[in-house]
């Protein structure tokens, strides 16, 4: 039996897409290697605290707006499947997420095949053939890979095989008592590990060639989070630990025990520095495992071979009919927005579902018709309530198309998909996004000496650095104009003279071109 859709992986992204396909009565199945949903989260994060926030008390009566502060729930109409019902902690435990995913998957149990590890994928005559570990063969016309980045990324360092790995190293601090430890990597897994070892080790050094980037400055939540950077105090307040900027050139085992490391500093002219450690741990991030794909179905890779290369429709750039969902889709917005995380990719998966329906089921992108005079008001309503635009800033946008007197409002369209003609040809289009200013990640937001524009100033809105709505006007697919709504401390962009009236003027003037 050749199915219309097969999904590899029953993690959050696979479940999100499966729920949407099930709702629509489509022909699909999910193949999951593990015994239950969310296999990745049975191991990671190693110290079991998530860094995805779970703000239970938001003061919001609108559940859509409340989702702006809920980074773990999947998209569903069932209020019982809100993550706040599973944990009240701001940074919940990974086991709470596993319980949540199991309940979300329960209505799909007939669609999900557990203990089904795909070991080979081939493609011929427009059909994908998947072989699992038991030898059973599955086939489909469209394949969606939602396996995540499941393999540890191992840098090319002579002697790197001597290091322990984040995925297998002991998480018991007592195992490191009075030892000198080198952690290679400067991301959240590295500092999560370093923080856990501060109390028992003699010294911890965290090393990597690039500068540490803080999420609170860049607004990219994959950069170092404050919840993981307690270790930095122990370095800058001279408590025996250090952050080393540079590259590990070689690792060797010492005859007397421990390891000899040759290190090259990035910011000095000093020659190779030799350092000695009792333990070395690799915390260098993750990558996509492409080993299951045969030559006929192997997707091209991008960003140091860590992700499949993709089109704006989340389709493989070189294998037709092969799509990706979930954290793999961050190749489209790498280190800029939120496709690498549940609170971002849940919306990207919903957009992927609409793309699949549009391409293969003859279902147009959902839209609401409205009069031209209602366009500005509809935009104001959405920017003040949408969680999708909020979480997927600059990546997903609402699109209002205008042809003659007919206007249609389309929600949460990948901006790059629209720009490549994904919604077809239209005389006018307004693309609505939430965005930070162009240099937002280069300024210290806590530096009071850096001038900022006043909030609610429509005449300076284009200079805003904080998150604010941006409306771009296109004519026959080409950009024609741009309007910024003034930033607001409470993210409420609905003041009559500050937000509504300037937007109404912009829309009216844009349409007056005809």
């Amino acid at each position: 039996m050749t199915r219309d859709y097969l999904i590899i992986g029953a993690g959050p992204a696979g479940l999100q897409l499966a729920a949407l396909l099930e709702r629509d009565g489509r022909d699909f199945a999910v193949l999951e290697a593990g015994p239950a949903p969310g296999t990745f989260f049975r191991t990671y994060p190693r110290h079991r605290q998530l860094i995805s926030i779970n703000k239970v008390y938001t003061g919001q009566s609108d559940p859509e707006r409340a989702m702006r502060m809920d980074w773990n729930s999947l998209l569903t109409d069932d209020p019982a499947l809100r993550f706040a019902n599973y944990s009240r902690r701001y940074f919940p435990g990974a086991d709470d997420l596993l319980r949540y995913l199991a309940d979300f998957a329960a209505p799909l149990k007939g669609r999900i095949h557990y203990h089904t590890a795909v070991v080979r994928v081939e493609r011929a005559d427009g059909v994908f053939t998947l072989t699992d570990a038991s030898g059973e063969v599955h086939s489909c016309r469209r394949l969606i890979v939602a396996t995540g980045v499941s393999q540890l990324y191992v840098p090319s360092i002579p002697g790197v095989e001597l290091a322990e790995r984040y995925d297998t190293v002991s998480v018991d601090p007592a195992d490191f008592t009075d030892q000198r430890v080198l952690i290679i990597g400067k991301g959240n897994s590295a500092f999560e590990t370093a923080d856990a070892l501060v109390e028992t080790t003699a010294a911890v050094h965290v090393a990597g060639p690039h500068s540490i980037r803080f999420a609170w400055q860049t607004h990219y939540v994959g950069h170092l989070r404050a919840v993981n950077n307690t270790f930095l105090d122990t370095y800058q307040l001279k408590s025996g630990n250090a952050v080393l900027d540079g590259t590990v050139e070689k690792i060797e085992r010492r005859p007397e025990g421990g390891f000899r490391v040759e290190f090259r500093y990035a910011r000095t002219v000093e020659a190779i520095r030799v350092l000695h450690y009792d333990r070395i741990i690799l915390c260098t991030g993750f990558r996509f495992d492409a080993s299951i794909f045969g030559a006929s179905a192997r997707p091209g890779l991008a960003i140091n071979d860590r992700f499949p290369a993709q089109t704006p429709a989340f389709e493989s750039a070189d294998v037709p009919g092969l799509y990706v969902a979930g954290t793999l889709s961050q190749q489209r917005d790498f280190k800029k927005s939120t496709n690498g995380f549940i609170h971002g990719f849940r919306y990207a998966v919903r957009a992927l579902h609409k793309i699949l329906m549009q391409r293969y089921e003859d279902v147009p992108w959902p839209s609401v018709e409205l009069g031209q005079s209602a366009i500005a008001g509809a935009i104001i309503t959405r920017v003040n309530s949408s969680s999708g635009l909020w979480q997927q800033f600059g990546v997903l946008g609402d699109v209002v198309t205008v042809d003659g007197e007919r206007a249609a409002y389309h929600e949460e369209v990948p901006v790059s998909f629209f720009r490549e003609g994904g919604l077809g040809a239209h005389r006018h289009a307004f693309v609505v996004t939430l965005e930070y200013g162009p240099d937002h990640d280069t300024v210290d937001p806590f530096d009071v000496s850096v001038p900022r524009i006043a909030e609610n100033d429509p005449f300076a809105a284009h200079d805003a650095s904080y998150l604010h709505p941006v409306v771009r006007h296109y004519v026959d697919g080409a950009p024609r104009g741009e309007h910024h709504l003034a930033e607001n401390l409470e993210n409420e962009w609905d003041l009559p003279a500050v937000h509504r009236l300037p937007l109404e003027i912009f829309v009216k003037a844009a349409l007056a071109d005809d």
Side-chain angles (χ1 to χ4, degrees):
M1 174 183 178
T2 299
R3 294 190 178 275
D4 289 339
Y5 307 95
L6 279 178
I7 302 169
I8 306 179
L15 294 179
Q16 182 68 81
L17 182 56
L20 294 168
L21 293 172
E22 176 74 3
R23 181 198 67 187
D24 290 353
R26 302 303 175 188
D27 176 33
F28 77 98
V30 182
L31 308 180
E32 166 57 44
T39 298
F40 180 87
F41 293 99
R42 295 185 181 280
T43 302
Y44 306 108
R46 293 299 314 284
H47 298 87
R48 309 311 289 153
Q49 178 179 275
L50 300 174
I51 56 174
S52 48
I53 68 172
N54 176 45
K55 188 169 175 58
V56 176
Y57 305 104
T58 65
Q60 299 293 332
S61 58
D62 179 4
E64 170 68 12
R65 190 174 171 105
M67 285 287 280
R68 293 180 173 186
M69 308 301 166
D70 177 349
W71 288 14
N72 300 284
S73 293
L74 297 179
L75 303 177
T76 173
D77 294 330
D78 185 354
L81 287 174
R82 294 295 187 205
F83 191 78
N85 296 322
Y86 292 78
S87 175
R88 316 301 279 181
R89 292 170 54 193
Y90 191 77
F91 292 113
D95 292 336
D96 296 325
L97 181 59
L98 288 171
R99 289 192 299 113
Y100 173 81
L101 294 177
D103 285 354
F104 192 94
L108 300 165
K109 63 182 180 180
R111 299 284 201 167
I112 304 175
H113 301 273
Y114 296 110
H115 301 286
T116 305
V118 176
V119 297
R120 193 69 172 173
V121 179
E122 298 286 358
R123 182 178 183 272
D125 299 323
V127 174
F128 292 92
T129 301
L130 290 69
T131 306
D132 67 32
S134 71
E136 185 175 352
V137 176
H138 314 260
S139 62
C140 64
R141 297 175 183 83
R142 270 78 61 180
L143 177 63
I144 300 93
V145 181
T147 55
V149 282
S150 57
Q151 297 294 308
L152 191 73
Y153 175 73
V154 179
S156 298
I157 301 171
V160 72
E161 69 278 1
L162 299 173
E164 298 173 83
R165 296 162 46 120
Y166 174 71
D167 53 350
T168 55
V169 69
S170 170
V171 293
D172 183 356
D175 291 343
F176 297 83
T177 299
D178 205 31
Q179 294 181 348
R180 288 173 51 84
V181 178
L182 172 66
I183 297 174
I184 302 176
K186 283 184 176 177
N188 281 296
S189 63
F191 282 95
E192 167 205 334
T193 304
D195 279 353
L197 297 179
V198 163
E199 293 184 354
T200 59
T201 50
V204 176
H205 291 174
V206 176
H210 304 296
S211 300
I212 296 172
R213 305 205 72 190
F214 296 99
W216 50 258
Q217 181 175 27
T218 65
H219 304 110
Y220 171 64
V221 300
H223 284 146
L224 184 59
R225 301 286 299 284
V227 69
N228 279 333
N229 70 20
T230 304
F231 177 84
L232 296 180
D233 268 9
T234 72
Y235 169 39
Q236 288 297 304
L237 299 181
K238 303 180 292 298
S239 298
N241 301 316
V243 175
L244 308 181
D245 300 324
T247 56
V248 175
E249 300 288 310
K250 183 187 291 187
I251 301 171
E252 297 177 328
R253 192 183 299 278
R254 302 174 68 199
E256 63 272 37
F259 302 94
R260 176 184 184 274
V261 173
E262 294 183 6
F263 188 82
R264 185 183 301 278
Y265 287 106
R267 295 194 288 179
T268 72
V269 295
E270 183 178 356
I272 292 290
R273 178 80 154 86
V274 174
L275 299 163
H276 297 130
Y277 299 97
D278 298 296
R279 308 276 284 271
I280 301 172
I281 306 171
L282 283 183
C283 297
T284 45
F286 296 87
R287 65 173 180 83
F288 171 57
D289 181 7
S291 63
I292 65 173
F293 293 92
S296 62
R298 185 180 301 277
L301 303 179
I303 311 178
N304 295 325
D305 292 344
R306 294 177 67 182
F307 307 98
Q310 300 154 49
T311 71
F314 307 109
E315 186 177 21
S316 166
D318 42 19
V319 182
L322 175 63
Y323 293 84
V324 303
T327 191
L328 292 175
S329 64
Q330 67 182 288
Q331 186 266 327
R332 296 295 312 164
D333 64 334
F334 189 58
K335 295 190 176 182
K336 295 179 181 178
S337 193
T338 58
N339 266 328
F341 314 92
I342 292 174
H343 67 290
F345 68 60
R346 61 192 179 196
Y347 303 100
V349 171
R350 184 160 66 184
L352 170 61
H353 171 257
K354 294 174 183 177
I355 290 169
L356 295 174
M357 296 304 98
Q358 178 178 281
R359 288 185 168 185
Y360 305 113
E361 308 294 346
D362 198 28
V363 177
W365 198 284
S367 64
V368 175
E369 291 196 21
L370 66 164
Q372 291 187 10
S373 62
I375 292 175
I379 291 173
I380 290 291
T381 297
R382 280 283 295 166
V383 298
N384 281 286
S385 61
S386 169
S387 61
L389 300 184
W390 174 274
Q391 303 288 21
Q392 284 272 33
F393 50 88
V395 173
L396 293 184
D398 286 358
V399 179
V400 185
T401 56
V402 184
D403 299 284
E405 294 299 315
R406 182 183 182 276
Y409 201 109
H410 310 74
E411 296 182 0
E412 296 172 15
V413 181
V415 173
S416 57
F417 180 73
F418 160 78
R419 288 174 177 162
E420 289 206 350
L423 295 184
H426 298 278
R427 175 58 175 164
H428 294 276
F430 297 93
V431 178
V432 184
T433 54
L434 296 182
E435 299 180 22
Y436 293 93
D439 299 318
H440 68 95
D441 58 348
T442 64
V443 177
D444 181 352
F446 303 117
D447 185 352
V448 297
S449 69
V450 176
R452 290 190 61 172
I453 65 169
E455 66 167 331
N456 299 326
D457 181 354
F459 300 104
H462 57 282
D463 289 325
S465 59
Y466 185 61
L467 193 71
H468 64 285
V470 181
V471 181
R472 293 182 173 86
H473 176 221
Y474 292 77
V475 177
D476 295 329
R480 180 65 64 87
E482 182 173 303
H483 177 75
H484 293 246
L485 277 70
E487 66 177 58
N488 177 272
L489 174 65
E490 304 283 359
N491 304 304
E492 295 176 352
W493 303 289
D494 59 359
L495 296 177
V498 172
H499 302 109
R500 289 182 177 272
L501 182 58
L503 179 59
E504 289 171 355
I505 293 172
F506 172 76
V507 170
K508 185 176 182 178
L511 296 177
D513 285 350
D514 286 344

